[in-house]
């Protein structure tokens, strides 16, 4: 702290030193009611929040990761717009006073020197009271997370793949977050007012949402299955070479794990759950590749189906919720394999 400063700074800003005409100013960035403060990615511009106490305990040379896009840079690059405006207001308060002081000096040097060829400057000063720094009023917390690696607490406002300190998250929390997001989307649609739901239903929004859910659960398992296999099996690359998108194919994926000495996923989740998963995966295939129209391949995979070739599958909210529950069980079985 620089004592005897000739400048008056607003609350939250302190001059901590100077060298020549260069001044060093510390500007506080207050935490919100939950003890978090904002960080904004300089690349994608999205905002996340970090627990203030956890952040203060981190090293000064810290580099941060954007939780959304994975941009990695010095932590000082992650100012939010409101934080930047707060700092600029402190800089303006100091700058005005430096200019004011400069005019006072000029006026003192030129006072009483009104001879020919010279200019007399008169300057009247008055006490200056800097404006208060703007408050930080950013979006409140929606979802908070604690990184299993560094234990830093942070909050996000969308789908994320990175810890702000550690970087890329393990596959398991990403998968379970995605499953929770799918369930939240189903809940959001069912909680809408009746008149809104009626309009959306007539426009096919509900049907499209259910199809998306069925397609997304397969992608979630594919990502987790691939990550688990490569982590658990030392010669994973050799075993999957030439097998295409094997982690999209339910039984082929299970056989792959068994061939590598891992537990059988079919036994881990139970026969009835596996049968329902098989039906979900078959439905995903016809929606992705045949606009939901049943073909011979679907009927071979789901022999107890009441549909015929050429019919279009019809999904429901209940189908999606069941698929999410079954997929969650499968993901837990994959995590168990990874933990062995």
């Amino acid at each position: 702290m620089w004592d005897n400063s000739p400048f008056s700074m607003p609350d939250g800003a302190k001059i901590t030193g100077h060298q020549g005409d260069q001044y060093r100013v510390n500007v506080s960035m207050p935490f919100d009611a939950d003890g978090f403060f904002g960080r904004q990615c300089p690349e994608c511009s999205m905002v996340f929040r970090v627990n203030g106490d956890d952040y203060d305990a981190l090293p000064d040379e810290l580099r941060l990761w954007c939780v959304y896009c994975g941009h990695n840079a010095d932590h000082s690059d992650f100012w939010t717009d409101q934080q930047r405006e707060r700092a600029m207001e402190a800089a303006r308060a100091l700058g005005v006073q430096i200019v004011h002081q400069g005019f006072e000096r000029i006026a003192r040097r030129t006072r009483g020197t009104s001879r020919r060829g010279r200019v007399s400057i008169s300057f009247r000063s008055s006490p200056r009271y800097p404006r208060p720094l703007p408050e930080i009023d950013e979006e409140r917390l929606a979802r908070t997370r604690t990184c299993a690696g560094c234990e830093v607490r942070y909050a996000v406002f969308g789908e994320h793949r990175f810890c702000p300190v550690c970087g890329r998250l393990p596959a398991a929390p990403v998968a379970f977050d995605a499953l929770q997001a799918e369930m939240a989307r189903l809940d959001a649609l069912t909680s809408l007012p009746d008149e809104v739901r009626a309009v959306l239903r007539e426009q096919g929004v509900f049907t499209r949402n259910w199809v998306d859910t069925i397609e997304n659960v397969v992608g979630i398992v594919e990502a987790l299955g691939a990550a688990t296999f490569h982590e658990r099996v030392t010669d994973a690359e050799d075993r999957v070479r030439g097998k295409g998108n094997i982690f999209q194919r339910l039984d082929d994926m299970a056989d792959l794990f068994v061939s590598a000495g891992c537990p059988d996923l079919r036994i881990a989740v139970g026969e009835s759950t596996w049968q329902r998963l098989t039906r979900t995966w078959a439905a995903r295939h016809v929606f992705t590749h045949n606009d939901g129209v049943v073909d011979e391949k679907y009927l071979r995979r789901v022999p107890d189906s009441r549909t015929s070739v050429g019919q279009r599958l019809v999904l429901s909210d209940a189908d999606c919720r069941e698929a999410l529950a079954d997929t969650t069980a499968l993901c837990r079985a994959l995590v168990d394999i990874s933990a062995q």
Side-chain angles (χ1 to χ4, degrees):
M1 175 66 186
W2 177 37
D3 296 325
N4 303 318
S5 170
F7 304 115
S8 175
M9 298 297 289
D11 289 342
K14 294 180 181 179
I15 300 175
T16 58
H18 83 110
Q19 184 174 5
D21 59 355
Q22 301 292 319
Y23 290 85
R24 186 168 61 251
V25 180
N26 180 277
V27 182
S28 66
M29 296 298 166
F31 302 157
D32 63 19
D34 300 296
F36 287 68
F37 78 111
R39 300 280 75 187
Q40 184 170 5
C41 176
E43 182 70 20
C44 70
S45 300
M46 292 184 67
V47 174
F48 56 98
R49 302 180 75 74
V50 182
N51 179 271
D53 292 336
D54 294 350
Y55 195 86
D56 287 343
L58 296 172
D60 293 338
E61 64 275 12
L62 173 70
R63 289 179 66 86
L64 283 183
W65 298 80
C66 171
V67 300
Y68 309 109
C69 74
H71 179 70
N72 181 235
D74 188 87
H75 70 98
S76 60
D77 292 340
F78 284 79
W79 289 51
T80 69
D81 293 338
Q82 291 188 31
Q83 290 168 351
R84 187 174 289 104
E85 178 56 31
R86 182 177 171 88
M88 289 302 299
E89 183 58 40
R92 283 191 287 267
L94 176 60
V96 167
Q97 292 180 79
I98 292 174
V99 172
H100 187 88
Q101 185 186 72
F103 274 115
E104 285 185 328
R105 291 173 179 169
I106 294 173
R108 285 197 299 270
R109 287 199 299 267
T110 60
R111 189 173 295 128
T113 58
S114 56
R115 298 179 181 179
R116 181 181 302 176
R118 295 190 178 185
V119 176
S120 177
I121 297 178
S122 176
F123 180 77
R124 178 177 297 175
S125 63
S126 59
R128 295 192 59 83
Y129 303 97
R131 293 185 303 179
L133 298 181
E135 297 293 329
I136 304 294
D137 184 21
E138 296 171 338
E139 188 174 1
R140 292 294 302 275
L141 305 187
R143 289 198 299 161
T144 60
R145 292 289 182 270
T146 300
C147 177
C150 66
E151 298 185 346
V152 165
R153 291 164 288 179
Y154 61 98
V156 299
F157 302 93
E159 192 173 52
H160 73 294
R161 293 290 184 271
F162 300 85
C163 163
V165 177
C166 294
R168 182 171 291 278
L169 292 171
V174 171
F176 289 116
D177 265 6
L179 292 170
Q180 290 175 9
E182 292 296 328
M183 186 64 76
R185 187 170 58 163
L186 294 176
D187 291 341
L189 283 178
T190 57
S191 66
L192 292 172
D194 289 343
E195 60 275 15
V196 177
R197 294 180 71 250
V199 172
L200 295 179
R201 185 175 60 248
E202 292 169 5
Q203 293 178 340
V205 172
F206 280 77
T207 302
R208 186 68 258 171
N209 185 60
W210 296 331
V211 171
D212 289 345
T213 297
I214 295 301
E215 292 179 333
N216 290 343
V217 296
V218 176
I220 292 169
V221 169
E222 178 185 11
L224 179 58
T228 300
F229 190 77
H230 283 81
E231 177 184 327
R232 180 71 171 75
V233 180
T234 55
D235 60 342
E237 285 295 336
D238 292 334
R239 289 178 177 272
V240 301
R241 187 174 293 114
K243 291 183 170 60
N245 296 326
I246 191 170
F247 296 100
Q248 285 184 0
R249 306 192 299 271
L250 205 56
D251 280 300
D252 288 348
M253 179 179 70
D255 290 338
L256 180 67
F257 275 98
V258 170
S259 70
C262 299
D264 193 329
L265 291 168
R266 289 164 289 219
I267 297 175
V269 301
E271 182 180 357
S272 59
T273 299
W274 192 262
Q275 289 177 350
R276 291 194 301 270
L277 286 167
T278 300
R279 185 168 62 245
T280 297
W281 259 240
R284 176 262 177 192
H285 183 84
V286 295
F287 277 111
T288 301
H289 300 289
N290 204 30
D291 192 32
V293 177
V294 172
D295 54 15
E296 293 287 354
K297 189 173 184 179
Y298 175 84
L299 293 178
R300 286 196 301 271
R301 291 178 176 177
V302 191
D304 60 345
S305 174
R306 297 180 180 179
T307 59
S308 303
V309 172
Q311 284 185 261
R312 193 170 190 271
L313 289 179
V314 176
L315 298 174
S316 68
D317 179 83
D319 292 332
C320 292
R321 292 179 186 275
E322 183 177 66
L324 286 171
D326 293 338
T327 303
T328 299
L330 176 56
C331 288
R332 286 175 179 152
L334 286 166
V335 170
D336 289 342
I337 289 176
S338 180
Q340 292 177 355

